[in-house]
Amino acid sequence: MRISVACVGTKKDELTLEVARAAREADRVILHTERCGFAEWLKENGVSYESLDALYETAEDFDEHAQLAAEAVMKAQGGHVLYAVLDEADQSVKALFRAGARVNVIGAGAFGELLARAEGPVTLISASEIDGAELSAENDCVVKELDSRMQAGEVKLRLMEVYPEDAPAYVTMPGGGVAEITLTELDRLSAYDHRSGCLVRGERDFTRRERSTFRDLLALTARLRSPMGGCPWDRRQTHESLKRAAVEEAYELMDAIEQGDENGMIEELGDVLFVAAMQIQIAMDHGEFDAADVLTGAVRKMIARHAHVFGGEKAADADEVLKIWDQKKNDEKGFHSAEDRMRAVAKALPALLKAQKLWKKACEDDPSRAEAALEGVSGAGGELLRLAARMQQDGIDAEEALSKACEAFIEKYSRQ
């Protein structure tokens, strides 16, 4: 038995000559649904057919319906069976391919069979545009118009940045037919022209992908906190329990940066992102906010704070940029006084860093008032505060200076 899948659209004037000819020549015509213009055309031209509309009543859901339709087509008797669907995205067609049926797709354009083989989300792109395309390893990818071996090689290299080299690939050949290969073989076929295209199968399981995305990280945290099959420790975490982890990971990132350790930066940035993703997942579990809220807030905030880039303001140097930033922040937060800005400094900051931030904000408002207040703070803490303030005036980062002094102390002590 030979099966042809015909993509017939919804209106009878959408039929191609190829589909019309196949309908007249087929031994048996089966319609996925009779509610289409093709049924009218068949009646007008005296071509008998049958439909699978009754399956809608017997199937529990669309997945079962697609499977039952595919099974009905494969069980049909006849030398040439024409199976008509509205378009190549029909799930019953995909079920036919999954079942291993030998299927020829007609009426869907040069790359219709590739799209019919795609499962789930699919990225469709021309070979000439692939360099600028946003590819996702979780999606199938159809690349059309592979017009030369050289171009196929360039496409292969770009796809291998996202997909494994042994990913299943299907290539439409210029003379007809589909070659089943792996991605690494994409530039080793016998012929190419504008009718050539390829489908690379995506990897749905994020644990098996070659390259990961932020979406994968969120999927990971959701899995870890899942009541079924998750991790008991991760399920127990709260915003409160993870707050110190965020600080510790940030400091470990600082260490990697100061040491010029590129691999360390990759690892520590990953840890910072993981803690952020966990906090987002905890919020989602409690219906507080989601990743889109966080990312949207970050993008909008940066756009607003960079009015010299995205708005009409001008900034000739970094100092002017900081002025714009502070003004935008004050407007957003409703800060009207130095006290407002000082009280907004995070209480959890390291004491020396906090002291210098407070001193800077106070001096920006009223230096003499800041000096008077500084002298009024007594005790050992007051001495430290005054020292941090003087270092701020001299352009010295107190945290960094003390940290370096600690390292020097360790070195000196080890030599005694």
Side-chain angles (χ1 to χ4, degrees), residues 81 104 146 187 229 261 300 333 336 377 410:
V81 175
N104 176 44
L146 290 169
D187 57 349
D261 182 356
R300 289 180 177 174
K333 302 292 186 181
H336 303 294
V377 181
I410 294 172

Side-chain angles (χ1 to χ4, degrees), residues 376-392:
V377 181
S378 61
E383 292 300 319
L384 283 173
L385 179 60
R386 280 185 282 278
L387 179 59
R390 302 305 171 232
M391 294 174 75
Q392 169 71 29

